[in-house]
Amino acid sequence: MVRGLAINSNVLLKSSVLKTEVRDRIMPTSFPLEDIRNIAFIAHIDAGKTTVTERILFYTGRTYKVGEVHEGTAVMDWMEQEKARGITITAAATTCYWGEHRINIIDTPGHVDFTAEVERSLRVLDGGVVVFDAVAGVEAQSETVWRQADKYHVPRICFINKMDRVGANFNRTISMIEERLRAKPLPIQLPLGTESSFEGIIDLVENKAWRFDGNPGSEPMEVAIPESEQVKSSQFRQVLIEKLAEVDDQILVAYLDGHSISVAELKEALRRVTLANKGVPILCGSVLRNKAVQPLLDAIIDYLPSPLDMPPLKAIDASGAEVTRKASDDEPFTALAFKVVSDPFVGRLVYFRVYSGQVKVGEQVFNAARDKKERLGRLLLMHANHREELTEAGTGAIVATLGLKNTFTGDTLCDPSHPVLLESIRFPEPVLSVAIEPKTRVDQDRMGEALQKLVEEDPTFKVVYNQETGQTVVSGMGELHLEVIISRLLSEFKVGAKVGKPRVAYKETITRAVQAEGRFIRQSGGHGQYGHVWLELEPAELGGGFQFENRLKGNAVPRNYVPAIESGVKEAMETGVLASYPVVDIKVALYDGSYHEVDSSELAFKMAGSMALKQGLLKAKSILLEPIMKLEVVTPEQFLGDIIGDLGSRRARIDSMEAHGEMSTIYAHVPLAETFGYATSLRSQTQGRATYSMEFDSYQELPASLVAQITDEVETKSARYV
């Protein structure tokens, strides 16, 4: 049974009275927790996430006109950059109502450059809908978002979209979900027809079929399963029951006893398996043609979790002990800030998810991450960039607030009398940089304020002022990421600036263990400066980061100087000895040194630590690491040779190739430095028929032949500013 509003959406346009009545019906002030769903739509770029969200908003009565991405009228893609490019750039939140349930939705970007938006959304949501293109199947970013959902143990359902397109293949996509994502797909629907003849779905759970005529205002038509599909649907239903029996004891017992399994039992089992992340229900449709949106809404309600279905939240209290917070309004207020936005109309907005308790407008909350108390200003329920005023927010709510000046992404907000700290959100490091210079003095002041706001909004965007060159260097996740940031800087913040060419964010590390001495001694008329340390440097495993160990014995160096030594080491790591790139993946141990009773100071030992590290880097045969990207190219077979030849010239490593019909997919790893302008090159090689996607994979050693080239470039550039 398809749930929803009984009143046709087209009728709503004719009467403002009816409009108000329906809005009152579908937007009650409070909701039982079991009727709330907090979900995200996640997928590879162009799989149709935003189109799915727009149709859901229409069918739930949240909007009265269908927004289209290709026309720039999508409600959720409200930024000018999103409308111009036809892609989602920032995660947008909204709330809608289906039957007796409230659905809080976050529509996330699909482009790898904006993966931080997916990361922070999944951190605060309970469930996810993963959208796949029926033609392309599982794509590169599909794997990335799937891993992110695995990381946060997010239960999810899958929706295979674009079943009406030429080349759509339902079974192939399911096989790819199983093989590439290592998931257990549980198809609960089959397509009724395919490609241009796609007209609806077969519901394997309820053993019936639904037809859709494609008109947004039309109701789904329940029909009998066609005779030509009955054998196939019966087989798939049996396989569904057998797969459930493998992971659910109740279905296993009924199956072994030969009992007939009812629709209700099947739905309950599917819900248990989904919530336990033991299987993934698979649905299908074509949202652009308004086919199978309502059954997707039903599946969101039936199989994805409410806040009550999630395990109690773990946190750390003031004493450092682990405590839990249950999803209840009676528990102390606990929330996580997951997004900061500089709204040009209302100011600084902080989005947060309430995990327990309630909070009202004007109340004081405690920021446990920064040890500061703040007062909530207005509370807002967001609908993309539109706002609705609230007086309070309870458990399970996703809202925004004004007035929090010192709260940033990943901070914990809680009851001042019950302080707790939640695990923050970790984001990947940026891999691409550009230099940016203001045109005038006025632009310089304006640029500083604008960059600060952009850094607060986006944790993967970094700004560093280079003292040697006098340049401001901004870093991001890729060319598109930086392009969007700079576009906002110029148009939204009205900053006049000159922008340099993108450059790769190399890293420096060591290849062998060494011992190094740092001695800082200065004599003057009064107190001098004396700091002396011995450090041992060792390479850490790739991705191991920085590790500092105190191995001092006796009183060689007073303990109160050790933090200063570590600080000096960290400061020296910001610019290595080869080409001024940061030093990573290194273990540093302080094992000896000496001090002077009068002349020693924290500054002296900080300088000694810094000098010892620089000395050690010279002895330890430092190398440069370069970012390597995972590349996936989909091309007509006739262009395969040209593309492989071009990739070879870009130092790419071809991992594998896969043929499906007339198209071939190339899987490769390629250095980021070799990918600039690749989109233009690929278009010219393939007459615009090939597509590619790329995401950061890892850092690997830069060939020695290229190290000298990069070192020379850095020295030349530095000499220019001397």
Side-chain angles (χ1 to χ4, degrees):
M1 179 75 181
V2 175
R3 308 181 185 91
L5 295 171
I7 301 174
N8 189 303
S9 299
N10 291 336
V11 177
L12 298 179
L13 296 173
K14 298 177 183 177
S15 168
S16 60
V17 177
L18 261 179
K19 223 188 256 189
T20 304
E21 288 177 359
V22 172
R23 189 178 290 122
D24 289 342
R25 282 178 52 203
I26 66 174
M27 295 180 67
T29 54
S30 61
F31 257 85
L33 282 175
E34 61 269 20
D35 292 337
I36 294 176
R37 300 290 182 271
N38 289 318
I39 66 165
F41 288 103
I42 54 177
H44 185 90
I45 191 170
D46 284 340
K49 298 178 304 304
T50 302
T51 305
V52 171
T53 310
E54 294 295 325
R55 293 307 186 276
I56 282 178
L57 293 178
F58 177 76
Y59 282 107
T60 56
R62 194 69 172 85
T63 59
Y64 301 111
K65 183 181 178 183
V66 178
E68 301 289 5
V69 174
H70 58 276
E71 294 176 0
T73 58
V75 172
M76 303 303 281
D77 285 351
W78 57 271
M79 291 175 65
E80 289 303 321
Q81 290 82 0
E82 292 175 318
K83 291 179 181 180
R85 291 173 171 82
I87 62 169
T88 301
I89 290 171
T90 184
T94 188
T95 299
C96 61
Y97 303 83
W98 186 242
E100 302 300 320
H101 295 78
R102 171 178 179 166
I103 308 175
N104 296 321
I105 298 172
I106 294 183
D107 175 38
T108 65
H111 197 285
V112 65
D113 283 13
F114 308 105
T115 188
E117 296 287 337
V118 183
E119 187 83 20
R120 59 180 166 196
S121 299
L122 289 174
R123 172 66 175 83
V124 298
L125 293 171
D126 302 327
V129 178
V130 189
V131 183
F132 296 96
D133 183 327
V135 180
V138 175
E139 300 172 88
Q141 187 66 2
S142 308
E143 294 185 65
T144 302
V145 298
W146 194 273
R147 287 197 303 270
Q148 288 173 309
D150 281 341
K151 174 181 172 182
Y152 294 113
H153 309 291
V154 176
R156 68 216 82 148
I157 62 177
C158 296
F159 183 77
I160 301 176
N161 190 24
K162 305 186 181 183
M163 286 302 305
D164 60 324
R165 283 185 59 199
V166 175
N169 192 321
F170 181 75
N171 292 333
R172 174 176 168 269
T173 303
I174 289 176
S175 298
M176 292 178 77
I177 291 171
E178 190 166 24
E179 292 166 12
R180 291 184 63 175
L181 304 180
R182 292 183 173 83
K184 190 179 187 69
L186 302 170
I188 60 174
Q189 293 177 357
L190 295 179
L192 196 56
T194 187
E195 297 184 351
S196 60
S197 64
F198 177 73
E199 56 180 344
I201 57 160
I202 297 170
D203 187 333
L204 297 177
V205 176
E206 298 195 3
N207 236 349
K208 63 177 70 169
W210 294 93
R211 276 202 175 96
F212 306 85
D213 65 10
N215 187 334
S218 298
E219 295 290 328
M221 294 174 286
E222 183 180 336
V223 296
I225 298 174
E227 286 187 23
S228 59
E229 300 288 341
Q230 285 182 2
V231 173
K232 180 182 175 183
S233 64
S234 178
Q235 290 173 343
F236 266 82
R237 193 173 196 273
Q238 185 62 27
V239 170
L240 173 63
I241 292 171
E242 290 172 1
K243 283 189 172 183
L244 282 172
E246 291 174 8
V247 290
D248 186 81
D249 292 341
Q250 293 183 39
I251 294 294
L252 177 62
V253 171
Y255 180 73
L256 293 176
D257 290 346
H259 293 159
S260 176
I261 298 170
S262 68
V263 171
E265 288 174 324
L266 206 51
K267 283 189 174 183
E268 287 169 7
L270 278 164
R271 182 172 180 81
R272 286 195 298 271
V273 169
T274 305
L275 297 187
N277 276 311
K278 293 180 179 178
V280 189
I282 310 288
L283 300 89
C284 63
S286 172
V287 291
L288 186 63
R289 308 295 173 210
N290 305 296
K291 295 179 180 180
V293 180
Q294 297 94 327
L296 173 60
L297 276 161
D298 287 346
I300 289 169
I301 302 304
D302 289 336
Y303 307 124
L304 290 181
S306 72
L308 290 177
D309 294 313
M310 303 306 289
L313 188 70
K314 293 180 180 178
I316 304 297
D317 67 11
S319 67
E322 186 175 276
V323 295
T324 58
R325 289 284 186 266
K326 296 178 183 176
S328 169
D329 285 345
D330 298 328
E331 291 270 304
F333 170 68
T334 310
L336 185 74
F338 67 95
K339 186 178 172 73
V340 177
V341 174
S342 297
D343 191 293
F345 300 104
V346 296
R348 190 176 189 270
L349 280 172
V350 177
Y351 287 70
F352 63 89
R353 156 77 192 266
V354 182
Y355 284 101
S356 66
Q358 293 178 303
V359 69
K360 294 180 180 179
V361 172
E363 281 191 343
Q364 193 176 67
V365 295
F366 180 65
N367 185 332
R370 308 199 181 263
D371 197 24
K372 290 185 177 180
K373 290 183 179 179
E374 297 208 72
R375 193 169 297 280
L376 290 176
R378 294 157 62 192
L379 281 176
L380 304 168
L381 184 66
M382 301 301 295
H383 177 48
N385 61 330
H386 300 289
R387 301 163 291 276
E388 294 173 16
E389 297 280 348
L390 298 173
T391 56
E392 63 180 17
T395 302
I398 294 176
V399 294
T401 184
L402 294 165
L404 302 183
K405 303 294 183 187
N406 299 301
T407 298
F408 300 89
T409 300
D411 288 358
T412 303
L413 301 174
C414 56
D415 184 337
S417 57
H418 297 86
V420 292
L421 183 65
L422 303 177
E423 183 182 356
S424 190
I425 311 172
R426 294 187 180 90
F427 297 100
E429 287 295 312
V431 294
L432 203 64
S433 304
V434 295
I436 184 165
E437 295 178 1
K439 289 182 178 178
T440 67
R441 176 73 66 180
V442 174
D443 287 324
Q444 185 172 3
D445 297 337
R446 197 177 289 165
M447 187 174 84
E449 294 174 10
L451 288 176
Q452 184 181 349
K453 290 179 180 178
L454 291 170
V455 167
E456 287 182 7
E457 286 188 20
D458 188 347
T460 59
F461 176 62
K462 307 289 184 188
V463 179
V464 175
Y465 181 73
N466 190 320
Q467 297 283 355
E468 294 179 7
T469 63
Q471 288 181 312
T472 299
V473 178
V474 297
S475 305
M477 299 304 296
E479 286 185 273
L480 181 61
H481 187 202
L482 288 175
E483 187 183 320
V484 168
I485 289 282
I486 289 164
S487 171
R488 289 187 63 193
L489 199 65
L490 302 178
S491 61
E492 187 178 321
F493 294 98
K494 311 297 181 189
V495 175
K498 299 174 186 175
V499 181
K501 291 181 180 179
R503 62 174 192 169
V504 176
Y506 295 101
K507 308 282 187 188
E508 184 177 328
T509 193
I510 60 174
T511 56
R512 65 178 186 179
V514 297
Q515 294 177 339
E517 181 185 25
R519 187 189 293 269
F520 183 75
I521 302 173
R522 295 286 184 273
Q523 294 297 332
S524 60
H527 280 304
Q529 296 285 354
Y530 185 97
H532 175 220
V533 299
W534 277 94
L535 301 179
E536 185 172 271
L537 278 56
E538 291 180 65
E541 61 185 33
L542 207 61
F546 169 64
Q547 300 166 40
F548 184 85
E549 184 182 356
N550 179 7
R551 290 190 202 152
L552 285 172
K553 294 179 180 177
N555 296 317
V557 175
R559 304 289 173 181
N560 58 306
Y561 292 135
V562 173
I565 297 168
E566 183 178 357
S567 176
V569 169
K570 285 182 179 178
E571 196 172 285
M573 285 175 60
E574 292 175 7
T575 53
V577 295
L578 284 180
S580 298
Y581 289 106
V583 179
V584 296
D585 303 336
I586 185 172
K587 297 177 183 176
V588 178
L590 169 64
Y591 71 93
D592 200 2
S594 62
Y595 74 103
H596 189 280
E597 289 185 359
V598 177
D599 291 348
S600 287
S601 66
E602 288 188 1
L603 175 63
F605 275 102
K606 181 179 179 180
M607 293 299 296
S610 179
M611 292 166 69
L613 184 87
K614 293 284 186 183
Q615 191 67 31
L617 291 175
L618 292 170
K619 294 166 64 178
K621 293 191 176 178
S622 287
I623 58 171
L624 285 184
L625 302 173
E626 63 175 340
I628 303 296
M629 311 300 285
K630 187 162 68 173
L631 179 70
E632 189 174 304
V633 184
V634 180
T635 176
E637 197 171 343
Q638 68 194 81
F639 304 114
L640 204 56
D642 291 339
I643 292 173
I644 290 174
D646 180 58
L647 288 175
S649 70
R650 295 174 183 270
R651 298 194 287 127
R653 185 188 78 229
I654 308 295
D655 298 318
S656 63
M657 287 183 285
E658 198 177 273
H660 39 92
E662 296 179 357
M663 305 297 286
S664 294
T665 304
I666 303 168
Y667 302 100
H669 283 81
V670 60
L672 175 63
E674 306 291 345
T675 63
F676 297 139
Y678 186 64
T680 305
S681 172
L682 187 65
R683 275 197 297 269
S684 63
Q685 287 172 19
T686 63
Q687 300 164 17
R689 295 174 61 191
T691 59
Y692 81 98
S693 59
M694 188 166 56
E695 65 178 13
F696 171 72
D697 182 69
S698 62
Y699 270 91
Q700 293 179 17
E701 183 177 350
L702 181 72
S705 58
L706 296 175
V707 173
Q709 179 183 328
I710 291 168
T711 305
D712 290 343
E713 286 177 5
V714 171
E715 287 176 355
T716 303
K717 192 173 291 184
S718 297
R720 201 181 301 153
Y721 289 93
V722 173

